[in-house]
């Protein structure tokens, strides 16, 4: 069986270093907001080329607290519109509605599945105050054009970088394009903790200070509370785990890109549409870190069954678009035909830094041997 993602093997590469890091935390006697967190925040901010990194409990909180901070700072207010791709994972939209802001769903670019600048521009109204740019599957959204559009209309830009650690355009990395960015370190991410974890990156001093306070019960100073905050903190143990794994992120990313190049060249089945990358060549693939390798076919269920029969595990990211979820029943009559087609047709192939060349070849062969029903 070729597993979709073998987390045990991924972490086994660094087993002793992870054990040493855990022991360091245990022996310190300090488990919340200590030296490991400060060190990771500094190291990850440097990696993303930003001035600030604020550790939070998870990726959803990273987005939610950023939008909340902008409200506290008077840059957003309830009812303001936030443009977001209609085909994103629901967490992007949950962060918006949790803050009583209005999501404006926009159909994505048909080829990259990310925000389309032209469609985004068409969705801007007098009530639009922010763009939530999701770097879906590991490929950066077209940030130069989106930032130009935001500058033109005076909009805030929040990157959802949960799947794009290390992706870049012209050397500028995810997390440093927008006014702020939310990251997830869920175990299955390219930079994954051993539990839930997240962070916000930004160059805005006031925003960073506000997010840090909001995630610590609204407190900027012990027992003094500026805001009605929450408890959302990246703990010492997960920070220590992430410090170990951050050292190997670029090497693991290069392996993901090698596998992606092999897939792109080797999978020739005419019924399978493969990822299209922008801002880079197949050789460099600068802007795509391949958190997922997503193919698309009108015969998804048959292809998934065929691959399962050959011992290959696949997943669907994601089977139901946000506007068709019961959580947002008020949108049930709205139609986003491109997003709906994407959700009905995409299939994620295994891709991870510990896959062997033989496994990659087996997956390519299995895709090419698929017989259309």
């Amino acid at each position: 069986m070729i597993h979709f993602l073998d987390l045990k093997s991924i972490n086994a590469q660094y087993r002793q270093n992870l054990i040493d890091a855990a022991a360091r935390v245990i022996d310190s006697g300090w488990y919340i907001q200590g030296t490991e967190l400060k060190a990771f925040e500094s190291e990850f901010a440097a990696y993303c080329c930003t001035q600030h990194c604020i550790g939070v409990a998870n990726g959803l909180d990273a987005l939610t607290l950023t939008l909340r901070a902008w409200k506290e700072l008077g840059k957003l207010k309830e009812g303001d519109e936030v443009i977001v791709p209609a085909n994103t994972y629901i967490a992007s939209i949950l962060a918006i509605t949790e803050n009583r802001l209005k999501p404006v769903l926009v159909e994505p670019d048909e080829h990259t599945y990310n925000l389309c600048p032209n469609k985004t521009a068409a969705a801007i109204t007098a009530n639009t105050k922010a763009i939530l740019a999701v770097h879906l599957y590991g490929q950066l959204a077209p940030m130069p054009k989106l930032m130009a559009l935001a500058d033109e209309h005076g909009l805030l830009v929040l990157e959802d970088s949960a799947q794009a650690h290390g992706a870049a355009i012209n050397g500028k990395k995810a997390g440093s394009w927008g006014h702020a960015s939310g990251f997830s370190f869920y175990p299955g991410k390219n930079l994954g903790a051993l539990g839930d974890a997240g962070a916000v990156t930004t160059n805005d001093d006031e925003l960073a200070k506000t997010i840090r306070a909001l995630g610590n019960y609204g407190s900027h100073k012990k027992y003094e509370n500026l805001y009605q905050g929450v408890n959302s903190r990246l703990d010492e143990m997960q920070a220590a785990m992430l410090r170990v794994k951050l050292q190997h992120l670029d090497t693991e990313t290069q392996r993901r890109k090698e596998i992606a190049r092999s897939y792109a060249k080797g999978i020739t089945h005419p019924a399978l549409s493969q990822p299209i990358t922008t801002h880079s060549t197949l050789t460099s693939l600068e802007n795509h870190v391949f958190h997922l390798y997503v193919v698309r076919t009108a015969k998804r269920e048959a292809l998934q069954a065929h691959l399962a029969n050959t011992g290959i595990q696949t997943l669907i990211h994601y089977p139901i678009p946000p506007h068709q979820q019961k959580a947002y029943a008020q949108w049930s009559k709205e139609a986003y035909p491109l997003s709906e087609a994407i959700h009905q047709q995409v299939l994620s192939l295994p891709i991870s830094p510990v896959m062997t060349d033989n496994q990659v070849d087996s997956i390519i062969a299995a895709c090419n041997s698929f017989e259309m029903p």
Side-chain angles (χ1 to χ4, degrees), residues 57 70 113 149 170 185 197 207 260 337 342 360 362 372:
W70 278 331
Y113 310 134
L149 190 62
N170 298 328
F185 305 120
L207 179 65
I342 290 170
V360 173
S362 295
M372 296 283 286

Side-chain angles (χ1 to χ4, degrees), residues 17-18 20-44 53 55 234-244 246-247:
N17 289 335
L18 292 169
D20 292 344
R24 189 170 66 241
V25 173
I26 293 168
D27 293 343
S28 74
W30 194 285
Y31 309 119
I32 299 290
Q33 293 187 311
T35 58
E36 296 292 340
L37 175 60
K38 290 179 181 177
F40 173 71
E41 288 178 336
S42 176
E43 291 160 6
F44 194 65
C53 169
L234 176 58
D235 68 66
E236 286 287 283
M237 189 65 75
Q238 296 306 334
M241 301 295 104
L242 287 166
R243 291 187 67 200
V244 171
L246 179 58
Q247 299 175 49

Side-chain angles (χ1 to χ4, degrees), residues 133-149:
V134 182
H135 307 318
L136 199 63
Y137 306 150
Q139 178 167 211
L140 276 180
M143 295 309 296
K145 292 182 179 179
L146 291 175
M147 292 306 298
L149 190 62

Side-chain angles (χ1 to χ4, degrees), residues 155-365:
L155 306 179
L156 295 165
V157 176
L158 174 57
E159 297 174 72
D160 184 340
S161 301
Q163 301 183 355
H165 314 73
I169 297 175
N170 298 328
K172 189 174 176 65
K173 288 184 178 178
S176 66
W177 278 96
H179 300 101
S181 177
F183 284 88
S184 169
F185 305 120
Y186 180 78
K189 302 298 185 184
N190 289 24
L191 178 59
L194 273 65
D196 273 319
V200 178
T201 57
T202 184
N203 290 319
D204 186 328
D205 296 346
E206 189 176 27
L207 179 65
K209 182 178 178 181
T210 305
I211 293 171
R212 196 175 294 281
L214 284 170
N216 188 36
Y217 299 97
S219 175
H220 68 300
K221 183 179 179 181
K222 194 167 185 178
Y223 301 131
E224 293 184 19
N225 302 77
L226 287 172
Y227 313 105
Q228 297 177 23
V230 298
N231 178 6
S232 180
R233 302 179 298 207
L234 176 58
D235 68 66
E236 286 287 283
M237 189 65 75
Q238 296 306 334
M241 301 295 104
L242 287 166
R243 291 187 67 200
V244 171
K245 298 185 72 177
L246 179 58
Q247 299 175 49
H248 305 281
L249 177 57
D250 286 345
T251 300
E252 291 197 353
T253 298
Q254 288 306 312
R255 178 55 181 160
R256 287 178 177 273
K257 292 180 179 181
E258 289 173 4
I259 295 169
R261 281 191 286 266
S262 295
Y263 282 161
K265 293 178 181 179
I267 298 175
T268 58
H269 198 295
L272 274 61
S273 297
Q274 296 198 57
I276 293 177
T277 62
T278 57
H279 306 292
S280 61
T281 65
L282 188 62
T283 301
S284 66
L285 293 177
E286 180 194 37
N287 74 313
H288 205 321
V289 294
F290 291 98
H291 172 60
L292 300 171
Y293 193 94
V294 180
V295 297
R296 184 175 166 191
T297 176
K299 302 295 182 181
R300 180 178 68 192
E301 285 70 24
L303 174 62
Q304 188 171 37
H306 166 73
L307 294 175
N309 288 336
T310 59
I312 298 167
Q313 182 185 32
T314 59
L315 294 179
I316 299 171
H317 297 90
Y318 303 95
I320 305 173
H323 71 280
Q324 293 181 338
Q325 297 283 358
K326 290 183 179 179
Y328 292 108
Q330 68 270 29
W331 297 338
S332 62
K333 294 182 180 180
E334 297 189 22
Y336 298 92
L338 176 55
S339 293
E340 290 162 18
I342 290 170
H343 284 264
Q344 291 166 4
Q345 296 175 356
V346 292
L347 185 68
S348 301
L349 303 180
I351 187 166
S352 83
V354 296
M355 285 176 58
T356 66
D357 289 342
N358 285 339
Q359 288 176 321
V360 173
D361 290 342
S362 295
I363 293 167
I364 292 171

